[in-house]
Amino acid sequence: MGRSLTQRAKSRGSSHCEPSPLNRPPRTKRSQYVIAISVYLALALLLWANVWLTGNVSHAITCNCGDTVEQVWWLEWLPWALVHGHNPLLTNAIFARLGGVNAMSNTSWFTPALLLSPITLLFGPVASYNVANLLAPILSGWAAFGLAGRFSRRTGSRLVAGALFAFSPYVLKNTMLGHINLTLTAYLPLTIILVLRLLESQNRPVRTGLLLGLLTIGQFFLGFEVIALTALAVALFALGVVLVRRDVIVAAWRHVLIGASSAVALSVVVLAYELWFYVDGPRHVAGPYWKVTSGRPWMIINAGRDIFTGNGALRAVGYLGARGPNTMFLGVGIVLFIVVSAWFWWRRRALLIVAGVAVVCWLLEFVDHNWWAAVPIVSSIGLARFALPVSLCAALLMCASIDGWWSAIVHSSRARASGVGGLFARVGVVALVVLAFVPLVVTYTVPLKVVRPVVPLWFRQDAATLPSSTAVLAMPFAYGVQSRPMAWQAETNMSFNLIGGWAFVPGANGVNDEIMSPLRGAIADLRTMSEHPRRLSVAEQRTIRAAILRWRPVVVVVVPHFASTCSEEMMQETIGLLPRLRDGSWVWAIGTDNRLGALRERSAAACN
């Protein structure tokens, strides 16, 4: 009967179907990349069908709130600052009168903001936001497809790997929340590709190192977390190579040293000022930026509760639809498929390294949060973010697993003997892969929900006529995830400076972010007026009055449609002056020489 299927699969470990990632891979045809990009474009269009197929690209958005507002704002800020000659690294357009914002302490999306600036200038920041969210999974999938070429020559297997990485629950949830810095993840697979090229004697290490440096510079202006996650993942891969293929490191250490030195040198030269601005520049913030939370081991196969409904927390940070699976989820089907398929690839040492990195990163998702919070620098990486390298490793293992089944079944003696048998074998492999994805795919609710928010008339018309030295204090108060006025500011071409906003800024201790060290005084009292005006005390009103006097010239605007009930009455009592009704909003214009009226005593019937 000849050798068994398993023996045949094992014997092909060095065959043409199973290239080694540590050696130069076969060249991927241009047509293969075209196919990959087309597939990922189709999936991205399905995800954003309510924008690109049935909506308005310049106006449809997941929510004019939460992190989405912050992203739209930064996409507008960079081209506006460059056109008007401002330093883009420090802005007073938000947190005006409060010190401004250090862009390097924030995920400021400068790379996509710069590349998409023509779209922003022509069609507005919401259009750029939608273009960025459409392209992010396409670029990430393309990069993962390229890396998978180190492990497989089959286009189908590589397509699956790229799709799993680019449309994983980690990417889906961050896409919902407008986190381009966490969904444009091509940096991770591209960095691994370049590091692998440094292990090849045929490549020029300086050229490869410079490419790695340019890639890192681009990622630096997109977000630091992916750089840190990539560095940790690459370090784990390097450790694995040292343990199982020390000969590769010994043979290529000069190439690696030259390439790494070139990358570091270029990055330091270009980013020296920006690094200083991040570490010690004005209004910089020291981490951790938020409280560290840990996951649970079973979250990789448990999507979570109520995944087909939304909740208040999700709506607050920027998405009005179903919450979907947790970011760490992959599904029992994919995990089981990879584990069972290990029989076909466990002798390939490169894949053992990939599996080891996946396990370590998975374990890091639920380390003790107190311990993680005490580790300098990396404590600012959310533990849930380790789902990114886990999903890439799972994608590569999925690719190898599909190859293993294909080689074992399709090339079996029975399949070769009968054309019908070969057809059924191929269908069987495809069916196995589809079944593996079912527990994951059924947790998704697509297309993503979007709305078409309205910018109040006052912000569209009157705000543009304000003198440049005037700041705007809006109700609802722009603070934290409830920063709708930031969207109004961005969508009206930065026509005014805004008191408050949503960004990482020094808190009460002047070091940590205000989430870790809450701001007091007028900021806290304005939040009370915005959210619970009936609870505002006379002492808090006096604090707000003193702040308004310090912030002159200032225009106070209460937008009835968006502000809490009673906000206009409480603001009028606090300022002591009657407002003007302008374009549907209540407005107080307080110049440098203006004084406030007498603080009114609240009547028993006030705000009823």
Side-chain angles (χ1 to χ4, degrees), residues 15-19 25-26 32 148-149 151-155 158 403:
S15 71
H16 69 279
C17 292
E18 297 180 344
Q32 291 176 289
F151 298 84
S152 172
R153 298 182 186 180
R154 291 193 174 92
T155 302
R158 296 169 62 183
D403 273 9

Side-chain angles (χ1 to χ4, degrees), residues 267-287:
S267 299
V268 170
V269 168
V270 174
L271 299 176
Y273 175 69
E274 290 80 4
L275 285 168
W276 168 82
F277 214 90
Y278 170 64
V279 174
D280 200 35
R283 301 286 287 171
H284 74 278
V285 177

Side-chain angles (χ1 to χ4, degrees), residues 19 80 184 193 284 340 363 600:
W80 186 91
L184 187 54
I193 290 173
H284 74 278
V340 172
L363 293 174
R600 300 181 185 180

Side-chain angles (χ1 to χ4, degrees), residues 21 55 72 121 138 159 211 221 223 338 347 401 429 543 591:
V72 169
L121 294 172
I138 298 173
L159 284 173
L211 287 174
F221 288 110
I338 291 173
R347 289 192 177 185
S401 298
V429 174
T543 302

Side-chain angles (χ1 to χ4, degrees), residues 301-368:
I301 58 173
N302 185 344
R305 300 175 56 188
D306 303 322
I307 59 175
F308 300 112
T309 60
N311 63 1
L314 185 64
R315 287 191 292 270
V317 293
Y319 187 61
L320 306 178
R323 73 183 71 181
N326 71 75
T327 59
M328 303 176 189
F329 181 70
L330 287 177
V332 66
I334 288 175
V335 174
L336 186 61
F337 185 87
I338 291 173
V339 171
V340 172
S341 303
W343 183 260
F344 297 109
W345 51 257
W346 69 273
R347 289 192 177 185
R348 297 178 62 183
R349 287 177 286 183
L351 289 168
L352 285 179
I353 296 173
V354 172
V357 173
V359 171
V360 172
C361 291
W362 170 64
L363 293 174
L364 287 172
E365 293 176 1
F366 49 88
V367 299
D368 183 79

Side-chain angles (χ1 to χ4, degrees), residues 21 81 94 228 238 277 361 409 425 444 518 533 563 582:
I94 52 175
F277 214 90
C361 291
I409 296 177
Y444 287 21
R582 299 276 307 204

